[in-house]
Amino acid sequence: MILIAEDNPLMRKMLRSLVEDLASEVVECTDGEAALSLYEKHQPAWVLMDVSMRPVDGLSATRAILARFQSARVIIVTEHDDAETRRSAFEAGASEFFGKDYLLPLRALIQHAGNSEMLGNAII
Amino acid sequence: MRFKALNSYKAKIAVACFWILLISLAVKPANAQQHFKKWTTADGLPQNNVINIAQTPDGYLWVATLDGLARFDGVRFKVFNKSNTPEMPNNRIFSMFTDADGRLWFNYANDQTLVAYENGEFKRFEKGRDFQKDENLALNARYGVEYYRHLLGKPEMTFRAGQTEYVYEKGRFVARPAQKETRFPARVFATDDFTVWIDAPEAVYHVENGNATRYGKNAPLPIAPRDTIPMDFVELGGVLWCVAGGTFVNGKLISFKDGKVKMFPAVDGIFYLESDAKGNLLAASTKGFFKIDAAALARNDPANFPVTVLSSHSTSSLFRDRDDNVWFGSFQGLHLMNSDPAVIFYSKQSAPPIDNVYPIVQDPEGTIWFGAWTDNKLFSYRDGVFKSEYGYILTALFVDSRARLWKGTGGMIGYREKDRWLPVDFEKTLPPPWNKPTVFTGELAFITEDKQGNMWFGTEAGLVRYADGFSQLFTINDGLPSNVVTSCFFTRAGEMWIGTNAGIARMENGRFRAFTEADGLAGNYTRSFYEDADGSLWIGGYDGGLTRWKNGEFKKITKRDGLFSDGVFVILEDEAGWFWMNSNQGIYRVRKQELNDFADGKTESVTSVSYGPEDGLLEVEGNGGKQPAGLKARDGRLWFPMAKGVAVINPATAKPEAAPPPVLIEETRIDGQPFDVSAEGGVRLNSDQVALEIDYTALGFVGAERMRFRYRLENLDGEWVEAGARRTAYFSHLPHGEYTFHVIAANYDGVWNTEGASVKIVIVPPFYRKWWFYALAAFGAFGLITLIYFLRLRQLQALNKARAEFAKRLIESQEGERHRIALELHDSIGQALAVIRNRTLLGLDAAEPGKMREQLSQISEASTLALQETREIARNLHPAQIENLGLTAALRSLVKSIETATGLKIEADIAEIPQKSLPYDASINIYRIAQESLSNIIKHSGASFADVHLQMENEKLVLSIEDDGRGFTDGAVPNGLGLTGMRERARMIGAELTIDSLPGEGTKVRLVL
C-alpha cells in the first residue's frame, strides 16, 4: 500500500499513475494531517509526501509519522529540490527525497525495494 | 531808563492818535525805499497796524498790533493771540509798555484787563479782582488819555486809580494810598492842555506858543506833578529837542537851550522824537518820517534847517533797539531803518537810471566807464556826475597803454580817438568766417594788451591776437581747453593765463598748456584772475569756487568751505587785505589771510561777509563774464556790475563787524506737538515718538536772513551740520541714548557765536531695547525655538514612523504578493510543468504505444491546466481588461469571477464609463480599490451579499461597495495594508475615499473622483 499526500491534483494524479501498478492499493490525501491519520489507519509500506501543504505541511507530518512509527518509509516528493529542504527532510526522518522534476527513479526504487533494506543504500 | 519811560509814553500817544489818523490821513506810497527794510502780514506780521515796538532782555523784538502780539527774531514772527494765549482778553492791543525788569505789559481795547509777559509766561490781571474797579480806568475813554495819565511812566509798574495807587510787586498788585508826587515824571512833561513844561536844572519853564515862562525852583507852580505826563525829548549837544503845540496833531518841533526856546515850523504833526547812533534827530509825524542831521541840529537855526523825508508813511511807533537800530511802525507794517548803508547802489530808480551793467574800467584821468545793456548805454562817471552815450551791448572795455579806451560791442571792436570810435578791421587779417566782426563782438569777453603792445580779444570762437593790422586766432588746436574764452591775465612775471568755460591755460612757448578740475582747479568755468602781492594767482569760477595757484599747486576754496558763493565773478583786494568777490547771490568779502590759511591746511573753513539789502545792495544778483567785471577805483572804492545796476562800496567804511549774535532755542516739537523743554530740563522722546523738530534762532536784526547756523548732536555724529539760514533742525528715528543738541550762529558779518545754545535730548529706549527685554526675548526665543524643534521633531518622527510603517507594510505586501505569486507558480504552473515533464519521460520510456498515448493525453490535460493557471495568475497580477476594454468591463469581469469563485451574491450596477474619459492610472487604482474591498468582504466580513455601484453623479465618478457583513469599529479597523493601500491609491488619483462601518451593520466603501 502506498499513501500519497499531495495537494496539487495534477501532481497527485501523476504520482498515482506512476506507482499504481507497484502496490496493491494507493491511498491519497491532500495535507499532512490527513496523511498522519491515514498512516495510522493503514500503515502503508510507502508514503509519498509533498512538502508544501496546508494546514499541516509534509515535513511536520513526516516528523509526526516517524515519531510514532519509526519504521515508516516516507519519501519526500517536492518541487523545492534544494539542499536546505533535503536536509530538513532527512532530519524529519524521511527515507528518501525526490524533486518533482524527475520522478522516474521513484518507481524503480519502490519496484526493487521489496522488503530489502537496501533501499537507503540505493538512494545514497 | 529814559528810553523805556519814553517808550511807554509813545505807546499812549500812538493809540491816542490812531483814530485821528485813520480818518485824517491819506497815506502816500513809500518813496525812499532804500532807507528801510519792511515787514508786513505777508512776512508773518499778524496785522499791519504796528501800535508799539519793544525789546525784552533776551533780545527779542516785540511788535504789538491790532490783531495780536508778535515776537520777532529778525526773520520769523511768533504770534501770540487769544487763540494760543488764553491770558489775552482779545487781540486788539491798545498799548505795550516795558518796565524796568524787562516785563512787557499790555492792555487792550474795550477791556479792563492788564496782561504781563515775563520769562516766557503771560499773566492776566483783571480790574475788580487784582485791582480796584474805578470808572477812571475806563480804557475806552476819549483817546485813552484819561487812562494813560495814570499809567505813570515809571520804571516800575505803577498806576493810579483815584486816591489809590497800585504797585506791582512779586507777581501781584499791591494797593496803597496815592502818594503825593514831589518830582516830575520826566525832564519834559505836559499837562492836560498839552502845553510843555521843561524841568531844567536851574528852573522850570512853561513853553507856550514859542515862549518860555520861567518858574524858579522854589516858586509855587500852577501844576502838581501827579497831574502831568512825560513827553518825548532828545538832548543833543546841550540842546533839548522836544515837541510843543496846542495838540499832538499839530505838534511843532522846538529847541530849548539856556532858557531860550526856538520853534522849527519845517516839521509839524510830530508825536515821537528819537536820535540815531550818529546824533541825527528822527521825527515821527503824521506827515511822515523825517531826519534832521547833526550839523543842522548844531546850528540850531530855524532858517537853515534842512529836513530829509525818509518816509511819507504816517508813523505810529518809533523804537531804537539796544543795537541802535531804529524801528518804526506804520499802518503799513514794521520798518527797520538803514541809516548808513555800506553799499551805494545805482539802479533804475537812480538819476540817471542804470540797469544791467557789465564791463567797467577807469581811465587815467579818473573817469569810470561802464556799459549798461538795458537801453544800450556807455556810462561815464566823474566827480559824482554820471553821463551816458549810446553803446550797443557793451561786452568789453579796456584802457590800453596809450590811454585809449577800447570797447567791444555787438557791432565792433574798436578804440576811442578824439571822441570817435575807430573799429578794428578783421577782414584783412583773418579767413572767413572769422573775419566778420560779429563773430567776436557778440560773444566778446575781454579786450587786453600784453607788454609788447599786442591786443588780445577773448571770443567764443577762440583767442585773437591783434597787432599792426594783423590778427592770429588761437583755439583748442593750440592747446586751449575750449574755444569759449572768458578771461585773460598777465602776471607780473610775464605769464599769460587764459580762462575758458572748460578750464584755464597758460601760454608756454607759443602754445597753451591746459589745466582743469582734474588738475585741482575748483571749477572749469572760469570768470576771473587776480595776482596778489605774494605772487599767488587766484582764479575765480562761475560756479566752482575760488582756486589758489601757488608754487605750481592748485588749492580750492568753495562754498562748502565757507565761501559765501561758488560764484567768483571778480576778485578785488582792498587795502585791509580783504578779497571782494561778486556772484549771482551778491557781493561778499573774505580775508586773504583766511583764504591762505585754509589753502595751506591750517584751518578748516573761511568766513565770508556778504552784502544784501540791509547794506543798501537792494538787488544782490551780480554780473560777470564780460571784462573787467569789477573795478577798484583810484579812490579805493570798489565798483561791481550788477544785474540791476552798479554797486559801489567804500571798503574803508564798509560796516563794522557786529558782535556775535545771541543764540536761542525757541521751541521743540515732538511729532508735531510742542514740548515744554523748561519743564523737563531737556527733550525726552519715548520710543514711539519719532520726529523731533527744534526751532532755534539768533537775534540780530540787520541781515537776519543771512545769519548762518551750524548744529550738531553731540554724542551722535559730532559733525557740525551746516544749516545755512535754516532755523529749524529736524531729526527722526534717533537711536536711543542721551544727546546734546548744540547750535551756534554767525551774523551776516560771519562773526560766530561759538557758545551758542544747547538742549539735552533723551531718547528713551523702547521696552524692547532694554536689557531685561533682551534677556526675556532671548529666553522666550530659546524656549520657542526649543518648542518648535521638539514639535517638529515629533512631527518628523511621527511622519517617519508612518512612512516606515507604510514602507514596511508595502514591503510586506510586496513580499506577500510575491509569496502568493511564487506559491501559485510553484503550486500550479510549476507542478503542471513537472507533471508534463515526468509524463513525457514516462511516455518515452513506455514500451507500449497505448501507454505512451495515455501519457500524451495526460500531458495535454496538464498543459491545459497550466495555461489556465498562467492566465489566472496574469489576470490577478494585472487586469488586462482595463487596458483593453476599460474600467467598466474590468469591474464587471471582477465581480463575475468573484461571484463564480466564492458564491458571494453581488448586486452590481456598473455604469458604462467611456474608456477614454478616464486616465489609465485612475482606472487601475479604482479597480484595485474595488478588488481590495471585495477581497476584504470575502476574507473578513463573512458577508453573504455585496453591492457594487459605479456611476457618474454630478460629473463625478462614484464607486460604492457595500456588504451586509460583520463590519468593524474604528478602533478595531485592521490597520493592514488593505485600507491604507486603498487610501493611498485614492490620494494618488485625487479622489475622496470614505469607509463607514459599524459592528454588525456591514461596511460601506465610497470613492468619489
Side-chain angles (χ1 to χ4, degrees), chain B residues 252 318 442 788:
Chain B
K252 296 273 194 298
L318 181 59
I788 291 169

Side-chain angles (χ1 to χ4, degrees), chain B residues 403-426:
Chain B
R404 295 186 302 190
L405 180 67
W406 287 71
K407 72 169 183 180
T409 74
M412 66 169 297
I413 298 173
Y415 54 88
R416 194 181 181 93
E417 204 169 76
K418 294 174 184 167
D419 295 336
R420 284 199 313 132
W421 291 98
L422 302 177
V424 173
D425 184 1
F426 291 101

Side-chain angles (χ1 to χ4, degrees), chain A residues 24 29 41 43 53:
Chain A
S24 56
C29 68
K41 193 176 174 181
Q43 294 183 20
M53 292 182 296

Side-chain angles (χ1 to χ4, degrees), chain A residues 6-8 10-15 17-18 21 50 52 54 79-80 99-104 107, chain B residues 819 823 826-828 831-832 834-839 841-842 845 851 854-855 858 861-862 865-866:
Chain A
E6 168 64 61
D7 61 349
N8 186 300
L10 201 61
M11 184 55 73
R12 201 164 59 235
K13 194 177 176 183
M14 198 211 70
L15 286 173
S17 71
L18 186 68
D21 57 341
D50 187 14
S52 302
R54 289 178 189 176
E79 63 269 38
H80 304 290
K100 285 179 178 175
D101 287 2
Y102 187 52
L103 292 170
L104 291 190
R107 182 182 162 78
Chain B
H819 180 66
L823 278 181
H826 263 301
D827 289 356
S828 16
Q831 307 232 29
V835 167
I836 290 165
R837 180 166 194 246
N838 284 301
R839 285 196 186 280
L841 293 172
L842 285 171
D845 212 26
K851 289 211 172 178
E854 193 201 334
Q855 291 303 336
Q858 291 300 325
E861 190 188 339
L865 275 171

Side-chain angles (χ1 to χ4, degrees), chain B residues 115-374:
Chain B
V115 173
Y117 172 85
E118 183 177 18
N119 297 330
E121 284 184 21
F122 288 90
K123 284 181 188 168
R124 178 172 176 150
F125 302 93
E126 286 176 22
K127 185 169 147 185
R129 187 188 74 184
D130 299 297
F131 43 85
Q132 191 186 322
K133 184 169 176 157
D134 190 304
E135 289 308 313
N136 287 339
L137 270 171
L139 298 180
N140 55 355
R142 187 169 60 98
Y143 308 145
V145 173
E146 285 301 314
Y147 173 69
Y148 289 111
R149 61 184 301 179
H150 295 285
L151 249 177
L152 297 179
K154 288 186 171 183
E156 60 275 7
M157 181 61 188
T158 303
F159 68 92
R160 187 176 295 171
Q163 295 306 306
T164 307
E165 200 171 66
Y166 293 92
V167 182
Y168 185 74
E169 281 178 4
K170 294 174 185 169
R172 64 192 189 91
F173 281 99
V174 177
R176 66 185 182 202
Q179 293 175 11
K180 188 181 177 191
E181 293 287 346
T182 54
R183 293 185 57 198
F184 293 106
R187 283 184 64 191
V188 180
F189 54 90
T191 47
D192 273 357
D193 59 359
F194 297 114
T195 58
V196 172
W197 293 73
I198 295 168
D199 184 6
E202 73 287 357
V204 176
Y205 297 88
H206 184 212
V207 180
E208 201 167 15
N209 297 323
N211 300 312
T213 309
R214 186 179 192 276
Y215 293 85
K217 278 285 181 181
N218 297 320
L221 294 176
I223 50 165
R226 67 157 63 164
D227 295 327
T228 63
I229 54 173
M231 290 288 286
D232 226 351
F233 68 92
V234 170
E235 188 173 18
L236 291 165
V239 180
L240 203 62
W241 297 89
C242 50
V243 183
T247 67
F248 286 104
V249 183
N250 55 19
K252 296 273 194 298
L253 183 66
I254 58 171
S255 71
F256 177 82
K257 190 185 181 187
D258 302 331
K260 290 196 177 72
V261 173
K262 288 181 184 170
M263 288 191 73
F264 292 81
V267 187
D268 67 349
I270 297 169
F271 43 90
Y272 299 147
L273 287 177
E274 189 54 87
S275 62
D276 70 12
K278 295 186 174 172
N280 303 311
L281 184 68
L282 303 168
S285 135
T286 55
K287 310 283 172 62
F289 191 42
F290 306 99
K291 182 172 104 174
I292 301 104
D293 68 26
L297 297 172
R299 286 194 295 270
N300 195 11
D301 178 7
N304 186 6
F305 198 70
V307 173
T308 307
V309 180
L310 298 179
S311 168
S312 59
H313 288 308
S314 70
T315 305
S316 55
S317 50
L318 181 59
F319 182 70
R320 181 168 148 190
D321 72 17
R322 63 189 187 192
D323 297 324
D324 291 331
N325 300 310
V326 175
W327 301 81
F328 87 89
S330 74
F331 302 110
Q332 309 261 319
L334 175 71
H335 308 255
L336 172 61
M337 185 175 155
N338 184 12
S339 54
D340 191 15
V343 181
I344 300 167
F345 192 71
Y346 299 103
S347 69
K348 260 185 178 172
Q349 278 75 40
S350 308
I354 297 169
D355 192 37
N356 206 14
V357 173
Y358 275 97
I360 183 161
V361 290
Q362 187 171 30
D363 68 19
E365 294 175 347
T367 303
I368 291 166
W369 301 85
F370 58 89
W373 285 13
T374 302

Side-chain angles (χ1 to χ4, degrees), chain B residues 73-75 661-664 696-701 704 707-709 727 744-747:
Chain B
D73 64 357
V75 172
V663 182
L664 297 169
Y696 48 81
T697 191
L699 294 171
F701 299 105
M707 291 228 188
R708 293 195 302 286
F709 297 88
R727 294 183 181 216
I744 60 176
N747 63 17

